Amino acid sequence: MACNLLEFAMFGWIEILLLLFIGSISYHAVVANYGPGLIAGGLDSLLAFTILMLLHCLLVMLLWSYFSVVFTDPGCVPPGWRPAVDEEQFDTLPLTMTEVPAYSENGRIQYCRMCNHLKPPRCNHCYVCGRCILKMDHHCAWVVNCVGALNYKYYLLFLFYAFLETSLVVLSLLPYYIALSSEGETPETPGIPATSAPAFGSNLVLALSSLGFLIKHILLVATNTTSLEAYEKKTTSKWQYDLGRKENFEQVFGMDKKYWFLPAYSKEDLSKIPALQGLEYPSRPDLDMQEL
Ligand SMILES: [Zn+2]
Ligand SMILES: [Zn+2]
C-alpha cells in the first residue's frame, strides 16, 4: 500500500511537471509570435500589447490559484473533535469503532474506522492521503492534493483561470496554426516558432477539458454538493445543504466580493461563515434530516 501511494505521489509530481512544460511552450509561442509586434506600430502594436498583457495577468492568477490548491491543506479533523451536542445527548452516543458504523449519513454521527475518530458532517476518508478530509470533493492527481473544504474555492479558480488562459493561447495562436497548416502560405511575422503547433494543440485540449470540469463544478456549487455527495444525492429528492444559489455560492466563495476572484478569504468571511472552516454546515430548516 505504501509503495502504491509513493508511486502515486511521484506520478502526481510528473503531472505537475507536464503542466509546467505545456505552460512554458505556450508562453514561448505567444511571446515569440506577438513580441515583435510591440514595436511594429499601429494596430499591430495595440493587438500585441493587449494579448501579452492579458497573457501575463491571467498567468499570475492561474499560478497563484494553482499553487494555492497544491499547498493548502484541504482540511483535517482536529484531534479529539466531537460533535456539538449537549452533554446528555452526547453521553448516549456510541463512541467506539465497534459500536458506530463506518458511514452513517444524513447528518448523523459518523465514525472513520481507518483513523479511529468521529467525523464531522460531509467529511470523508481519502485512501490516497490516508486521512479524513473535511468536505472532501475528490483527490486530484493534477494538484497532488485532496480538494476539500479549505481549498475548494482555489480549485474552482484554478479551473476558471486555466480555461481563460488556455482559450487566450488557442485564439492568439490560431492565425499562426492556420498558416503553418496551409501549404504555400506564410505568416507576416517571419519565422513561426516550432512551439506554436504543440502549444495550440495542447491548449485546445486543456481549454475544452477545463471548461467541462468548470461546468460540472458550477452545477455542484449551485446546489451545495460535493462530487462525492452527488452520488449520495441520487438516492434522495431533498438535499439538506441546498440553501439556495446565493447562499450556496457564499459558502464556497465568501460574501466579500473583492475576494471572489482571488484564492484567499477576508478575515471577516472566515469568522462569519462556519462552512469555510469545514466543521459545521447550516442545513435547510424546512427539511427534517430524519426524513431523508
Ligand atoms: Zn479517516
Ligand atoms: Zn486525498
Side-chain angles (χ1 to χ4, degrees), residues 18-80:
L18 178 66
L19 285 182
L20 290 176
F21 173 72
I22 293 174
S24 302
I25 61 168
S26 308
Y27 181 82
H28 176 265
V30 176
V31 170
N33 277 311
Y34 285 91
L38 284 174
I39 52 171
L43 278 180
D44 281 351
S45 284
L46 183 64
L47 179 66
F49 177 76
T50 307
I51 287 177
L52 291 174
M53 193 181 70
L54 275 175
L55 180 82
H56 286 90
C57 290
L58 289 174
L59 190 61
V60 168
M61 296 311 299
L62 175 61
L63 291 174
W64 184 9
S65 305
Y66 182 66
F67 287 109
S68 295
V69 191
V70 173
F71 293 114
T72 300
D73 190 311
C76 59
V77 182

Side-chain angles (χ1 to χ4, degrees), residues 263-291:
Y265 291 104
S266 68
K267 278 184 186 171
E268 207 180 351
D269 275 351
L270 285 173
S271 61
K272 271 187 181 175
I273 307 173
L276 297 180
Q277 308 295 335
L279 293 170
E280 295 171 38
Y281 297 93
S283 55
R284 285 173 57 177
D286 59 317
L287 283 184
D288 181 350
M289 286 193 292
Q290 301 297 325
E291 292 174 5

Side-chain angles (χ1 to χ4, degrees), residues 158-192:
F158 160 59
L159 290 178
F160 175 67
Y161 288 118
F163 171 66
L164 293 182
E165 176 85 2
T166 51
S167 299
L168 176 71
V169 172
V170 168
L171 290 176
S172 61
L173 292 181
L174 185 60
Y176 298 95
Y177 180 74
I178 292 172
L180 279 173
S181 311
S182 311
E183 271 190 10
E185 285 188 32
T186 54
E188 288 179 16
T189 308
I192 299 176

